[in-house]
Amino acid sequence: MFITEAFAQTAPAASTGGADILMSILPFLLIFVVMYFLIIRPQRANMKRREELLKNIRRGDQVVTGGGILGKVTKVVDDSELEVEIADGVKIRVVRSGVSEVRVKGEPVKE
């Protein structure tokens, strides 16, 4: 009454091990491919664009620092530093990587 009968089970058929491994790895591969095209590749393109932007800063360009300070580049000190005039007669030195946006001379200010 409370005991169920045990039924004999047949042994699982011998399957090809390679197909099972491929089917278990396939979702991870698909996730990686999707992550590459949606996250990694666009991020690399943005980094490359930013490096070019920072490398091409010239004297006279309008820049915005990471802290939100607007100024005009008066001198390129070296590969890593700029001299920026933020007000009449007030000049500061800024690290290139601290520049968040470059507004090239002659570009209208977006308000």
Side-chain angles (χ1 to χ4, degrees):
M1 180 165 170
F2 293 108
I3 300 173
T4 59
E5 295 179 18
F7 295 100
Q9 295 181 355
T10 58
S15 61
T16 57
D20 288 340
I21 292 173
L22 180 64
M23 291 307 287
S24 65
I25 293 177
L26 187 64
F28 294 110
L29 290 175
L30 290 174
I31 289 171
F32 179 74
V33 168
V34 169
M35 294 288 281
Y36 176 77
F37 282 107
L38 292 180
I39 296 174
I40 298 171
R41 193 166 162 226
Q43 187 69 19
R44 282 188 183 169
N46 286 342
M47 287 174 53
K48 194 178 213 181
R49 205 174 314 126
R50 179 168 166 73
E51 286 177 19
E52 285 296 318
L53 178 78
L54 294 178
K55 191 186 327 178
N56 293 327
I57 294 176
R58 303 282 182 249
R59 190 170 63 106
D61 289 348
Q62 297 285 334
V63 295
V64 180
T65 66
I69 298 173
L70 297 168
K72 186 177 194 177
V73 177
T74 57
K75 181 179 172 185
V76 177
V77 179
D78 58 19
D79 289 341
S80 64
E81 289 185 12
L82 306 167
E83 187 174 275
V84 178
E85 184 175 22
I86 58 174
D88 291 333
V90 180
K91 295 180 182 179
I92 59 173
R93 290 178 79 159
V94 178
V95 179
R96 272 189 201 254
S97 61
V99 174
S100 63
E101 183 182 345
V102 176
R103 297 180 179 174
V104 182
K105 183 170 51 173
E107 180 178 320
V109 177
K110 297 171 186 158
E111 293 183 28

